[in-house]
Amino acid sequence: MTDDGCERHPPFSIRHPSSVHSPHMNKNFVAELQAGLDSLKAAGTYKKLNHLASPQSARVQMEGRGEVLILSSNNYLGLCDEPSVIEAGIDGLRQYGAGTGSVRFICGTFTVHRELETALARFVGTEASMSYVSAWNANEGLTASIVQEGDFVISDALNHASIIDSIRLAKAITKCTTAVYKHSDLDDLVEKLSAQKAAKRRLIWTDGVFSMEGSIAKLPQLLQIAKDHDAILIMDDSHATGVLGKTGRGTAEHFGVLGEVDVITSTLGKALGGAAGGFVAGPAALCDTLTQRSRPQLFSNALPPTVAASALASVEFIEKHPERVQQLRDNTAFFRGAIVEAGFKPLDGDTPIVPIIIGETADAIKMSELLLDEGIFVTGFGFPVVPQGTARLRCQISASHTKADLEFAVAAIRRVGLKTGVIK
């Protein structure tokens, strides 16, 4: 590492650009990319971006569409446009400026980062926490920083892509042993842990809430298995922080085991204001280790202070207003009941993620497009995000939805379902 904190590659000779690339090669490259895009369009699986001209909320202004009801946002508690959260971000911008200018150990750590990390640790029931510019960075930085050669890392089959990639990176760096257990199949987990008794350490990675299913990890059983096998339990609680538990403290509070999970990672980009950022929470020694070794900490700017300030305000808002969490729970129960009554069979669950299985990817995307014509923005997900044949509309409920919003959504989904033959 150089004295400016930048990692350098070995010196290399500089060649004239004409000796590296030719116009012919560039044209082929672009043509290949375009052919791939054309095939997606022909298959009906091409993803189109819709542009919003207003804050993320229950209803938004969409370019070319006017007002649209959002049914696919992670804005679970409606804090994206909560006035106190917005004002905190503005105050943070005025006090600390637009950005951090470099990495934390080089140019200093703003006090708002310390305040945020103290609040996050308090909120999820750990000794300390460390913030990152994204939850992806948090997961990526964690695994590679703590795993060593001789360790065994095992992951639920439906874990988020950031967990999967973090384990792949750790394996490439440390040559640790890895495995995947069948989704929520604890017998499979135990069998594979038992076969790794000689491993130096055993680490279990799980989501708290599985984002495409809306299902909740069997946390009490996982904690017992971790204890029985002297394993470290790591849980990504991104879709549970601010959502599950009586006061929104996540999966651990939901099961009455707050403070018992070894390591929790989560996001600031969903229920906690929805801006950006993520964090790792656990023992103080872990967070200090991440400060020393985590590559996203060592080579990337810290979370913008305005985002840290708005996220801190979000945590404080939830602590003061547990009724917002209850409103989310009430809205979810109403929508689940109404969508079943409308003739659909969503995946069972207790979370505000309500997946309606459609089948083929093209059909799910088509249904999503028809719903947009009805004034409902809900995304169709298909392969490779979910397995072939299980494409779905992933409806996500917010505390900011009114009963009228949800009734309007259910009526529109039913009309489109009848039109497409998804329901009879």
Side-chain angles (χ1 to χ4, degrees), residues 3-4 38 74 81 96 98 105 111 116 123 149 157 178 199 202 232 242 266 279 308 325 366 403 413 420 423:
D3 58 6
D4 65 352
D38 291 343
N74 297 319
D81 63 343
Y96 299 103
F105 85 96
T111 54
L116 171 63
F123 190 65
E149 185 175 358
T178 66
R202 287 151 295 280
I232 300 160
S266 193
F279 63 94
V325 180
K366 179 63 176 177
K403 184 178 180 182
I413 295 170
T420 57
I423 57 172

Side-chain angles (χ1 to χ4, degrees), residues 135-136 139 154-167 181-184 186 189 204-220 222-223 233-241 244 250-252 254-255 261 263-267 270 351 353 385 394:
W136 187 290
N139 286 345
I154 186 165
S155 172
D156 188 289
L158 293 189
N159 276 344
H160 190 266
S162 61
I163 299 174
I164 296 169
D165 279 9
S166 77
I167 294 172
Y181 65 95
K182 298 172 186 175
H183 175 52
S184 287
L186 302 185
L189 171 61
I204 304 169
W205 251 116
T206 183
D207 271 324
V209 171
F210 296 89
S211 60
M212 286 298 142
E213 308 294 309
S215 58
I216 306 173
K218 300 171 182 176
L219 184 55
L222 287 170
L223 285 167
L233 183 61
I234 309 171
M235 179 174 67
D236 181 332
D237 225 23
S238 291
H239 282 276
T241 303
L244 291 185
T251 305
H254 176 77
F255 285 110
V261 182
V263 184
I264 293 173
T265 71
S266 193
T267 184
K270 294 180 172 53
T351 74
I353 299 173
V385 179
R394 185 180 70 171

Side-chain angles (χ1 to χ4, degrees), residues 32-326:
E32 289 171 0
L33 292 175
Q34 189 59 54
L37 295 171
D38 291 343
S39 68
L40 292 176
K41 291 176 181 177
T45 58
Y46 180 79
K47 300 174 183 66
K48 299 176 182 176
L49 298 181
N50 294 290
H51 295 90
L52 308 184
S54 66
Q56 187 66 254
S57 190
R59 292 178 178 269
V60 299
Q61 292 296 318
M62 181 179 289
E63 284 187 359
R65 296 280 184 176
E67 186 178 84
V68 173
L69 176 67
I70 294 281
L71 206 66
S72 58
S73 171
N74 297 319
N75 183 27
Y76 293 120
L77 296 179
L79 297 183
C80 286
D81 63 343
E82 171 61 38
S84 62
V85 172
I86 294 171
E87 287 302 315
I90 294 171
D91 290 344
L93 181 64
R94 291 193 180 110
Q95 181 174 352
Y96 299 103
T100 60
S102 186
V103 300
R104 291 169 66 158
F105 85 96
I106 292 177
C107 67
T109 295
F110 288 121
T111 54
V112 70
H113 291 102
R114 181 180 60 199
E115 293 167 10
L116 171 63
E117 289 159 358
T118 298
L120 289 169
R122 178 181 71 241
F123 190 65
V124 301
T126 61
E127 186 178 14
S129 80
M130 171 67 67
S131 62
Y132 286 79
V133 294
S134 71
W136 187 290
N137 268 175
N139 286 345
E140 182 181 68
L142 171 66
T143 312
S145 297
I146 63 174
V147 171
Q148 304 169 3
E149 185 175 358
D151 287 350
F152 174 63
V153 186
I154 186 165
S155 172
D156 188 289
L158 293 189
N159 276 344
H160 190 266
S162 61
I163 299 174
I164 296 169
D165 279 9
S166 77
I167 294 172
R168 287 172 176 166
L169 177 62
K171 182 176 182 179
I173 294 173
T174 67
K175 311 301 181 186
C176 65
T177 302
T178 66
V180 175
Y181 65 95
K182 298 172 186 175
H183 175 52
S184 287
D185 188 331
L186 302 185
D187 291 335
D188 190 37
L189 171 61
V190 168
E191 180 181 345
K192 288 173 177 173
L193 281 171
S194 299
Q196 294 291 331
K197 290 181 179 178
K200 184 162 60 175
R201 291 184 302 183
R202 287 151 295 280
L203 296 86
I204 304 169
W205 251 116
T206 183
D207 271 324
V209 171
F210 296 89
S211 60
M212 286 298 142
E213 308 294 309
S215 58
I216 306 173
K218 300 171 182 176
L219 184 55
Q221 296 95 318
L222 287 170
L223 285 167
Q224 186 60 52
I225 290 170
K227 182 179 179 181
D228 293 343
H229 292 267
D230 190 26
I232 300 160
L233 183 61
I234 309 171
M235 179 174 67
D236 181 332
D237 225 23
S238 291
H239 282 276
T241 303
V243 174
L244 291 185
K246 186 176 181 180
T247 60
R249 296 174 190 269
T251 305
E253 185 185 36
H254 176 77
F255 285 110
V257 292
L258 195 66
E260 296 184 31
V261 182
D262 294 307
V263 184
I264 293 173
T265 71
S266 193
T267 184
L268 310 174
K270 294 180 172 53
L272 299 185
F279 63 94
V280 175
L286 168 66
C287 295
D288 197 3
T289 298
L290 295 176
T291 299
Q292 309 305 316
R293 298 180 56 187
S294 173
R295 290 171 72 85
Q297 286 287 342
L298 294 174
F299 299 107
S300 181
N301 282 14
L303 191 69
T306 180
V307 176
S310 61
L312 174 59
S314 293
V315 174
E316 293 172 342
F317 182 95
I318 299 170
E319 289 176 324
K320 294 175 183 176
H321 298 281
E323 70 276 5
R324 186 69 68 95
V325 180
Q326 184 59 48

